[in-house]
């Protein structure tokens, strides 16, 4: 039967959810075969044989202990036989006296044959151990040359030039540089984060029938370049000093209360500032006077839109990195790429059969219904409702800026919670555990299921799904790709990304907020105006706070408004007022953290390795099998010692590792340099060296996760299997 693509929402009549008609597909920039070729397979075949022989020697040596004990009891050659028994038990070569003809003659025939076979096997063991270093050294030299060949791939070179120009310029990398090169190669092969051109992203469509994954016949991609928005506002601030005719406007957060005009200040911390509400000040605001711009009560409106394709032209600045740096020299902008490079697939990036996905989609909706249990901001929401009730009463309607001021004016637990994005946490561990065990969310008004989620997942050959992370939906995981494809005229209808809710309008702040990660297509119902952005939308004065059951809700124009952060920067990097809106009235940007964080527990002390099995909800794996240990407990020896250690602990040779430096606390470690997953294949000497370098602090926490799915199980594209991630939006109807 012919497979037909569909861009209508997938909602069978007997199911209470909607799947967005398009989804994102993120494909690794390099096929998996290259990394496989970097494995020292000859060495590790010898290692496996050496371990097998050592195990046989140990088992047989212990097994011969009983029969030898009986012979020793006869008293003949007793000291020699006692030494022989001890050597066999410890796996040591017996003394020549113990294998002399006269000694062997007193042994039963079967035991004599077993002993001679043991000594032959011991010779094989010693020969393997002696020859292994030479084989390993030779193979490492071969792999170093192969690494240079693989790194010459044109697509990889393009990404490397953008990510590490210095390393890309090396024609003969040192050993340390080869380790870095291998890590970049592993990143381009095993990870689908769209950094530079190391991964390609496009939209896929559903088919009425067919397999879970049907890759396209070719992977044509194009590069889309955006100015890093971190430099856009500093550029405007620099240039606006000389722009006498710049348009002005009143800071949209300004409001009058208690004889003063309050507003959010212009710095990153957004202090709540005020000036007396005198007639001269009000007159200066009626026709916004530039004199009030220095304190932030008035803004100078830039001539560009933050999502414009070419804001530099509107600023009259050359699109040249040197020109930009010269303008920003007094502001000490760090050395960084001033442009974001993204690789996108302009055509159909793949097709997926609805029915093949149906069991997994059903389970993803079950997951959506229980995700309120994982909302780290739930304590903030409940504390805010309690504060509002005690201060204003159940029927009050309070302007949101007045409420914001009240929260920050009164010392107490709520103020502490809203000032620290990490102060709260998803409590109710017992309810979470019950949900993960049964799949049934609690019937409790406090735990309201998110209306829409985006699930980042990989498909397994047997029809299962492995979740990498879950974010808010409403287009969040899809709108940045839509923006990029729209730049080159290949974007689908943006309505396919939206997830309207029955009685609530979804609102977002569309400002880039200083990051290219927030460049996107607007997918919310309404927007909220925000200081120092060009997005416009609902004026903050139109937003009113009211009680809504056990929570608070924002109202505007007679209906509920749910503020969401639909850009791609982390929620804790948002400016304070936007954080407040999302945490108190919205849904978390990350609806479920990655699996290794999902099951927190005490950090194991040195000498203990904690093992956590896979965590499944139906056919969906929420957390991969993982191990937690201190870096000091990861062996520093050669392949035989490492292979033996991995075997003893049931750990794989290929895994993703994170190394968290705990010297400044667990939270600092979770935000540290090596928190992101590092692909490690211990049979690849360069990747192994990279892990050991990252684990230089012996007290660091190392988290090891199984590689699921295996790279060879990835969808097959032209050139071989490529690691592929799907971004699926599941929403309440």
């Amino acid at each position: 039967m012919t497979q037909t693509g569909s861009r209508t929402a997938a909602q069978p009549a007997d199911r209470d959810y909607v799947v967005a008609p398009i989804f994102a597909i993120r494909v690794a920039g390099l096929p998996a075969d290259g990394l496989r070729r970097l494995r020292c397979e000859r060495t590790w075949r010898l290692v496996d044989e050496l371990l097998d022989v050592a195990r046989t020697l140990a088992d047989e040596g212990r097994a011969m202990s009983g029969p030898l004990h009986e012979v020793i009891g006869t008293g003949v050659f007793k000291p020699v036989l006692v030494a022989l028994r001890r050597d066999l038990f410890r796996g040591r070569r017996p003394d020549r006296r113990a294998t002399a003809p006269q000694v062997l003659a007193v042994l039963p025939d079967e035991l004599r044959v077993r002993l001679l076979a043991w000594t032959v096997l011991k010779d094989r063991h010693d020969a393997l151990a002696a020859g292994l270093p030479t084989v390993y050294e030779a193979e490492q030299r071969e792999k170093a040359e192969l690494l240079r060949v693989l790194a010459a791939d044109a697509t990889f070179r393009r990404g490397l030039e953008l990510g590490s120009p210095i390393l890309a310029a090396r024609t003969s990398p040192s050993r340390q540089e080869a380790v870095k090169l291998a890590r970049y190669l592993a990143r381009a092969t095993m990870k689908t984060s769209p950094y530079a051109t190391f991964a390609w992203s496009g939209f896929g469509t559903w088919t009425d029938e067919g397999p879970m994954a049907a890759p396209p016949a070719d992977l044509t991609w194009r590069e889309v370049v955006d100015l890093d928005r971190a430099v856009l506002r500093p550029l405007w601030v620099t240039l606006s000093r000389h722009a006498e005719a710049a348009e002005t406007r009143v800071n949209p957060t300004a409001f009058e209360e208690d004889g003063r005009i309050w507003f959010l200040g212009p710095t990153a911390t957004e202090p709540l500032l005020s000036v007396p509400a005198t007639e001269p000040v009000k007159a200066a605001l009626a026709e916004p006077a530039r004199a009030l711009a220095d304190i932030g009560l008035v803004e100078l409106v830039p001539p560009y839109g933050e999502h414009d394709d070419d804001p530099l032209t509107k600023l009259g600045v050359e699109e040249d990195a040197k020109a930009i740096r010269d303008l920003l020299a007094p502001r000490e902008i760090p050395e960084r790429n001033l442009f974001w490079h993204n690789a996108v697939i302009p055509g159909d990036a793949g097709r997926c059969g609805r029915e093949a996905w149906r069991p997994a989609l059903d389970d993803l909706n079950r997951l959506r219904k229980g995700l309120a249990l994982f909302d780290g901001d739930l304590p903030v929401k409940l504390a805010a409702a309690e504060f509002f009730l005690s201060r204003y009463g159940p029927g009050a309607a309070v302007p949101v800026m007045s409420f914001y001021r009240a929260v920050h004016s009164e010392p107490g637990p709520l103020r502490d919670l809203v000032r620290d994005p990490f102060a709260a946490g998803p409590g109710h561990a017992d309810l979470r555990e019950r949900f993960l065990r049964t799949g049934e969310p609690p019937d409790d008004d406090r735990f309201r299921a998110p209306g829409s989620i985006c699930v980042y997942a990989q498909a397994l050959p047997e029809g299962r799904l492995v979740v990498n992370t879950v974010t808010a939906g409403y287009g969040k995981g899809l709108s940045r790709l839509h923006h990029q494809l729209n730049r080159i005229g290949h974007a689908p209808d943006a309505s396919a990304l939206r997830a309207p809710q029955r009685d609530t309008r979804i609102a977002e702040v569309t400002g880039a907020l200083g990051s290219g990660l927030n460049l996107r297509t607007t997918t919310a119902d309404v927007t909220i105006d925000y200081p120092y952005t060009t997005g416009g939308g609902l004026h903050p004065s139109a937003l009113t706070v009211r009680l809504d059951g056990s929570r608070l809700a924002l109202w505007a124009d007679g209906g509920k408004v749910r503020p969401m952060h639909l850009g791609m920067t982390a929620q804790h990097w948002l400016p304070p007022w936007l954080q407040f809106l999302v945490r108190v009235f919205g849904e978390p940007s990350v609806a479920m953290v990655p699996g290794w964080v999902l099951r927190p527990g005490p950090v194991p002390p040195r000498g203990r390795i904690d093992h956590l099995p896979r965590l499944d909800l139906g056919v969906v794996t929420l957390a991969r099998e993982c191990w937690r240990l201190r870096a000091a407990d990861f062996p520093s020896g050669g392949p035989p010692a490492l292979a033996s250690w991995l075997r003893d602990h049931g750990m794989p040779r290929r895994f993703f590792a994170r190394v968290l430096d705990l010297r400044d606390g667990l939270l600092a470690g979770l935000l540290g340099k090596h928190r992101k997953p590092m692909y490690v294949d211990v049979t690849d000497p360069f990747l192994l060296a990279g892990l050991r370098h990252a684990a230089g602090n012996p007290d660091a926490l190392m988290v090891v996760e199984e590689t699921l799915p295996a790279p060879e199980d990835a969808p097959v594209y032209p050139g071989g299997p490529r690691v592929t991630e799907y971004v699926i939006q599941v929403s309440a109807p």
Side-chain angles (χ1 to χ4, degrees):
M1 179 176 290
T2 302
Q3 295 183 3
T4 57
S6 172
R7 291 200 169 176
T8 58
Q11 184 198 1
D14 60 340
R15 290 181 169 88
D16 59 343
Y17 63 92
V18 174
V19 179
I22 58 174
F23 50 89
I25 299 178
R26 293 157 42 133
V27 184
L30 293 178
D33 184 62
L35 277 187
R36 181 192 60 77
R37 293 168 59 197
L38 284 172
R39 307 178 80 188
C40 290
E41 292 183 339
R42 294 199 309 276
T43 297
W44 284 79
R45 278 197 297 270
L46 294 178
V47 168
D48 284 334
E49 184 180 355
L50 183 64
L51 292 184
D52 290 342
V53 168
R55 178 171 292 178
T56 301
L57 288 172
D59 292 345
E60 182 66 355
R62 286 190 294 268
M64 287 189 286
S65 178
L68 274 173
H69 182 72
E70 295 178 6
V71 177
I72 291 170
T74 65
V76 181
F77 297 116
K78 183 173 182 178
V80 174
L81 292 177
V82 167
L84 172 63
R85 182 170 180 254
R86 185 184 304 116
D87 289 338
L88 292 176
F89 189 83
R90 294 178 178 175
R92 298 187 307 206
R93 176 174 297 283
D95 187 276
R96 282 182 297 176
R97 291 174 298 170
T99 55
Q102 60 271 30
V103 175
L104 295 176
V106 304
L107 301 179
D109 292 344
E110 180 186 358
L111 185 57
R112 182 167 57 252
V113 170
R114 290 172 67 185
L115 174 60
L116 293 174
W118 192 94
T119 58
V120 170
L121 196 61
K122 177 62 175 171
D123 290 339
R124 175 60 180 163
H125 175 274
D126 293 348
L128 287 169
L132 187 61
T134 301
V135 173
Y136 193 34
E137 288 173 11
E139 203 164 12
Q140 287 186 82
R141 289 193 295 271
E142 294 173 17
K143 301 308 177 184
E145 179 58 33
L146 176 59
L147 177 61
R148 283 191 284 270
V149 172
L150 294 173
D153 176 89
T155 299
F156 176 72
R157 294 296 303 178
R158 174 61 176 155
L160 187 63
E161 287 165 0
L162 296 170
S164 180
I166 295 176
L167 185 58
R170 294 284 190 265
T171 55
S172 298
S174 65
R175 169 71 180 182
Q176 183 179 4
E177 290 169 336
V179 169
K180 293 181 180 178
L181 194 61
R183 287 185 60 178
Y184 271 108
L185 195 73
R187 178 178 187 168
T189 306
M190 295 300 298
K191 296 177 69 176
T192 59
S193 55
Y195 173 79
T197 53
F198 283 154
W200 311 331
S201 303
F203 282 123
T205 53
W206 299 104
T207 58
D208 296 331
E209 296 182 8
M212 284 192 81
D218 67 89
L219 273 175
T220 302
W221 61 277
R222 289 177 59 179
E223 189 170 2
V224 177
V225 182
D226 276 312
L227 174 73
D228 184 353
R229 264 43 181 184
V231 304
L232 192 54
R233 176 163 171 75
L235 269 175
W236 168 239
V237 170
T238 299
L239 295 172
S240 65
R241 295 196 185 103
H242 313 290
E244 296 298 334
E247 183 183 345
T248 58
R249 73 163 188 167
V250 177
N251 184 319
T253 62
F255 67 103
E256 185 176 346
E257 191 171 76
D258 295 338
R260 301 186 71 81
I261 295 174
W262 301 83
F263 59 98
L264 297 179
T267 61
T269 57
E270 293 187 331
L272 194 56
L273 306 177
S274 69
V275 296
T278 62
E279 290 306 318
V281 170
K282 291 181 180 181
L285 294 179
E287 294 184 6
R290 184 169 181 146
L292 295 176
D294 289 342
I295 62 171
L297 183 51
V298 165
E299 301 176 15
L300 302 181
V301 181
Y304 55 77
E306 289 176 276
H307 296 267
D308 286 353
D309 291 351
D310 186 13
L312 293 178
T313 297
K314 295 180 179 179
L315 279 174
V317 177
E318 292 182 55
E319 196 164 316
D320 175 81
K322 184 178 184 306
I324 295 172
R325 290 193 191 282
D326 288 345
L327 281 169
L328 296 177
R331 305 184 69 87
E332 299 182 352
I333 295 294
E335 286 295 321
R336 58 190 292 173
N337 287 327
L338 297 183
F339 297 91
W340 290 69
H341 297 257
N342 307 279
V344 298
I345 303 169
D348 194 343
R351 299 192 169 203
C352 293
R354 278 197 188 96
E355 291 310 309
W357 275 75
R358 185 61 61 196
L361 294 173
D362 288 347
D363 286 332
L364 291 181
N365 188 52
R366 292 170 63 203
L367 175 63
R368 179 188 67 82
K369 292 180 178 180
L371 282 180
L373 291 166
F374 300 86
D375 182 356
D377 293 327
L378 182 59
V380 180
K381 292 177 172 65
L382 298 178
E386 183 179 342
F387 175 89
F388 184 92
L389 183 62
S390 64
R391 183 181 178 92
Y392 302 108
V398 179
V400 69
M401 292 306 302
S402 295
F403 180 62
Y404 185 72
R405 180 194 168 203
V407 169
H408 284 274
S409 299
E410 296 189 14
L414 178 58
R415 189 174 74 171
D416 294 339
L417 286 172
V418 298
R419 286 185 173 181
D420 183 352
F422 303 105
H428 311 285
D430 55 334
L431 295 178
R432 291 204 314 278
E433 192 278 332
R434 179 181 178 276
F435 167 70
L436 293 172
R437 187 178 68 253
T438 66
E440 296 297 326
D443 183 13
D444 188 324
D445 180 62
R446 294 175 300 168
F447 305 107
R448 301 180 187 178
S452 179
I453 58 172
C454 263
V455 180
Y456 293 68
Q458 292 171 258
L460 293 170
E462 61 270 24
R464 297 184 60 86
L465 206 64
V466 185
V467 171
N468 293 330
T469 192
V470 183
T471 70
Y474 311 106
K476 177 180 174 69
L478 307 171
S479 57
R480 183 165 182 256
L481 174 60
H482 189 277
H483 162 82
Q484 293 164 355
L485 287 168
N486 195 51
R487 289 276 314 276
I488 58 173
H490 284 273
D493 190 328
S495 64
L497 312 182
R498 298 183 65 244
Q501 300 296 291
R502 185 174 292 115
D503 62 346
T504 302
R505 286 173 294 165
I506 304 303
E508 62 173 319
V509 169
T510 58
L513 303 174
S515 174
L517 291 173
N518 290 325
L519 293 179
R520 63 194 187 277
T521 299
T522 301
T523 56
D525 303 308
V526 294
T527 61
I528 298 175
D529 200 359
Y530 206 86
Y532 301 103
T533 69
T534 62
L538 284 173
H539 198 276
S541 63
L543 298 172
T544 301
V545 184
R546 299 181 185 178
L547 270 175
D548 182 28
S550 60
R551 307 273 196 92
L552 294 177
L554 282 181
W555 288 69
D557 301 329
K560 281 191 286 187
V561 173
R562 183 179 302 157
M564 299 293 303
H565 170 50
L566 302 183
M568 296 302 291
T569 52
Q571 183 173 301
H572 59 266
W573 291 119
L574 296 179
W577 188 54
L578 183 52
Q579 276 196 48
F580 177 83
L581 293 179
V582 174
R583 296 178 73 199
V584 174
F585 307 103
E587 296 170 9
S589 295
V590 176
M592 190 185 80
V593 294
W596 69 280
V597 183
L598 181 62
R599 299 175 293 179
V603 175
R606 283 201 195 187
R608 191 184 85 200
I609 298 175
D610 291 343
H611 171 235
L612 297 171
R614 287 182 194 171
L615 180 62
D616 295 325
L617 183 66
V619 301
V620 173
T621 294
L622 302 180
R624 294 169 172 86
E625 184 177 19
C626 79
W627 295 260
R628 291 195 290 230
L629 61 148
R630 294 296 182 121
D633 292 322
F634 190 82
S636 58
L642 177 55
S644 178
W645 182 85
L646 291 171
R647 181 183 288 186
D648 290 344
H649 293 285
M651 296 171 68
R653 291 178 180 175
R654 296 182 296 177
F655 50 80
F656 282 96
R658 292 172 172 85
V659 180
L660 310 181
D661 192 327
L662 304 178
R663 283 176 287 196
D664 294 322
L666 180 58
L667 176 59
L670 288 170
L671 300 176
K673 178 180 178 181
H674 298 298
R675 73 187 187 283
K676 294 184 177 180
M678 175 195 323
Y679 176 71
V680 179
D681 182 339
V682 298
T683 70
D684 180 328
F686 306 104
L687 296 181
L688 178 59
L691 173 62
R692 285 176 166 160
H693 174 75
N697 173 17
D699 285 321
L701 172 65
M702 183 183 294
V703 181
V704 170
E705 282 186 294
E706 63 175 325
T707 304
L708 183 74
E712 58 269 18
D713 290 334
V716 178
Y717 297 81
R722 291 177 185 258
V723 172
T724 302
E725 184 178 50
Y726 302 88
V727 186
I728 311 293
Q729 182 167 287
V730 178
S731 309

